[in-house]
Amino acid sequence: MALQADGTVWTWGLNHQVQLGDGTQVNWQVPRQVPDLPTITQISARVGHVLALASDGTVWAWGAHSSPDPAAAAAGTRITALDRAGRRRWR
């Protein structure tokens, strides 16, 4: 995963938990831009999930355990997507 100076996020690799941010489980061999994100200032990637801080202060999460509810995250519950790429956003 890479955060570019222009605030875009690029991902590649395994995608079995939708951690590449495109709403699919298709693996990417070369870097591709994560679509439909606002300008991102920081990212944190772990096995199977990503957190991204946008310049407007919102936090974007996708992949496994992307729920803001710690109990749901601990249980591995997947949440309903709020956008067409399977990402959840909260302030």
Side-chain angles (χ1 to χ4, degrees):
M1 175 162 296
L3 174 61
Q4 299 297 307
D6 65 0
T8 59
V9 177
W10 294 72
T11 58
W12 61 94
L14 297 177
N15 198 22
H16 61 282
Q17 295 179 331
V18 195
Q19 67 264 36
L20 298 184
D22 68 344
T24 74
Q25 291 182 314
V26 177
N27 299 333
W28 300 350
Q29 299 302 311
V30 296
R32 292 180 53 180
Q33 184 177 347
V34 177
D36 303 324
L37 286 177
T39 301
I40 300 298
T41 60
Q42 295 179 41
I43 55 176
S44 177
R46 299 290 182 255
V47 175
H49 74 276
V50 177
L51 297 173
L53 177 64
S55 60
D56 66 0
T58 57
V59 174
W60 289 69
W62 59 92
H65 309 297
S66 58
S67 173
D69 176 356
T77 303
R78 291 185 184 232
I79 56 176
T80 303
L82 293 184
D83 73 4
R84 59 192 156 97
R87 294 182 301 254
R88 167 96 181 180
R89 187 174 87 155
W90 71 92
R91 285 191 186 267

